[in-house]
Every structure is written in C-alpha cells, then in structure tokens.
Amino acid sequence: DARVTQTPRHKVTEMGQEVTMRCQPILGHNTVFWYRQTMMQGLELLAYFRNRAPLDDSGMPKDRFSAEMPDATLATLKIQPSEPRDSAVYFCAITNAGGANEAFFGQGTRLTVV
Amino acid sequence: KNEVEQSPQNLTAQEGEFITINCSYSVGISALHWLQQHPGGGIVSLFMLSSGKKKHGRLIATINIQEKHSSLHITASHPRDSAVYICALSRGSNYKLTFGKGTLLTVNP
C-alpha cells in the first residue's frame, strides 16, 4: 500500500551482522506495528508504537532486537547480531487509532540470514 | 487453542466457482479483518468488519458476532484470486492484530 513504504525489500546477510529495516508511513496514521511472518509461525506481532511512543514490544527478543520511531514518518527495526532463525518477512503496518482502524501493510522486507 | 481458526487450510477451485472461506474466533473483538497475500507479495486489507456484511466487487464478507464467525465469499472466482487469505482480529483499543494461519486458495483456469 502506498501509505507505507518499507526498505529494503530484500536483505541477505551473514550471521552476526547488524540489520536495519525501515518503515515510512505517510502522515496521519498514529499507530505503527512491526510483524514477522514465517512459514512455521505465520504472522506475529513484534512491537508497536502509538504517536511514536512504544506501547508493546513483548513479542520481540530484547537481547537482539530493537524498534524505534525517531519521527512520525520513520520507524526502524534493528537486529544485532542477526541469526539464521531471524530469517523471515518483516512487515510494517499502520492504522489510525481513534479513526477508521483499518490496517495498511507495507510490502515487507524479506530477510535471509546465512 | 488458537484464538482464531480458519478453514479450510487449502482450497482448490475451478475458475468461475463460488468460494467460501471461514473464520471462527473465541474472544471478544472490536473488528475482524480479511487480508489477502499473493505469493511473495505484500499484504492487502480487503475488509474490516464489526457487524453485518460488506461487499467489494466479487468479494463479500459477513460476520456473526453472536456466533463468533465470519465468512469470506468470492463469486465467479478467477485465477488471479489465487492467494493466501488471512483472517485477523483486533481487540479493545489496542488495534494490534491476532492472525489466523491463513487459507491458501488456488483457482485453476
């Protein structure tokens, strides 16, 4: 959806390297989610922000994952150090809490850690 | 037990057939979402429902809040409808989604 741009679309990296994924929502959507999709687990919530404040990151392995929202049009998800089990598609989604509540997803970042 | 269950897991149909995908859930919700994901592709929101029925083109979504059940129907199915269809719940004021495992639909010409 054009409301959300994710970069990069694909990333292949070696185990131990740092990975940063970016999500750029258009203005007007105050809630940003990070989801991870794997064949085994399907879609899982990692973290989400409202009005740039982190509300819930209980789905995220804290020792290696971090999520931030430095401004209203940029959210980042960082993995350091990356591991092969982190290989998945990472989706950013946005909604407007208090508004229509429909969710809009980015195209995803397909991460492969070798 | 998962909070949201979809059936069937896999569905193969011939072009033109009427398709139904079901979603049952076990918790209170503020809305139910139907999402579509083409192979290797992104996720597109098809419908968001809190009651009744919605229609968009050949797609129809219904929800029965009392029975905690929703259905997604596709009329006159086409090979381009081949995708994974995912049911997702949003609850309370959190708006975060809980996802079903998805239904893989293949429509053959």
Side-chain angles (χ1 to χ4, degrees):
Chain A
D1 194 288
R3 293 175 180 86
V4 192
T5 302
Q6 281 189 252
T7 55
R9 291 290 307 279
H10 303 272
K11 176 72 176 179
V12 180
T13 191
E14 291 185 346
M15 182 173 65
Q17 296 297 306
E18 178 179 299
V19 175
T20 298
M21 291 170 271
R22 291 177 175 77
C23 169
Q24 294 174 272
I26 63 170
L27 287 172
H29 293 80
N30 59 7
T31 307
V32 177
F33 302 86
W34 282 106
Y35 293 103
R36 176 172 61 186
Q37 185 179 42
T38 61
M39 289 293 292
M40 294 299 295
Q41 301 295 329
L43 280 156
E44 303 172 289
L45 177 70
L46 294 175
Y48 78 107
F49 296 77
R50 179 160 305 144
N51 297 320
R52 297 176 54 202
L55 286 192
D56 184 351
D57 60 3
S58 58
M60 225 165 53
K62 302 286 193 307
D63 56 338
R64 299 183 301 108
F65 283 60
S66 61
E68 295 180 346
M69 197 161 180
D71 65 57
T73 59
L74 178 63
T76 62
L77 180 66
K78 188 176 296 185
I79 309 174
Q80 167 64 21
S82 57
E83 297 182 2
R85 60 182 166 147
D86 301 328
S87 298
V89 182
Y90 292 81
F91 286 100
C92 172
I94 60 174
T95 191
N96 196 11
N101 191 23
E102 187 174 359
F104 301 98
F105 287 78
Q107 286 290 94
T109 294
R110 182 174 295 275
L111 173 66
T112 304
V113 183
V114 298
Chain B
K1 186 181 187 299
N2 290 333
E3 292 180 342
V4 54
E5 299 277 357
Q6 281 186 243
S7 63
Q9 279 189 300
N10 293 282
L11 180 58
T12 300
Q14 288 300 121
E15 184 173 356
E17 286 184 359
F18 181 83
I19 303 292
T20 296
I21 300 170
N22 295 299
C23 176
S24 295
Y25 54 94
S26 57
V27 294
I29 64 171
S30 55
L32 184 142
H33 304 249
W34 281 103
L35 310 170
Q36 179 193 57
Q37 185 176 27
H38 282 100
I43 297 172
V44 175
S45 176
L46 298 175
F47 294 104
M48 184 184 69
L49 295 165
S50 53
S51 65
K53 173 180 170 178
K54 287 190 176 180
K55 183 175 189 290
H56 181 70
R58 295 179 295 106
L59 301 177
I60 303 166
T62 64
I63 188 168
N64 185 317
I65 297 294
Q66 286 73 32
E67 294 185 5
K68 292 186 166 57
H69 182 268
S70 175
S71 293
L72 176 68
H73 305 286
I74 305 175
T75 60
S77 59
H78 190 276
R80 64 174 175 266
D81 298 326
S82 299
V84 175
Y85 292 84
I86 303 168
C87 171
L89 314 177
S90 54
R91 304 175 61 187
S93 60
N94 286 329
Y95 305 105
K96 58 184 178 179
L97 297 177
T98 303
F99 299 91
K101 296 292 187 189
T103 295
L104 174 61
L105 171 65
T106 304
V107 182
N108 294 318

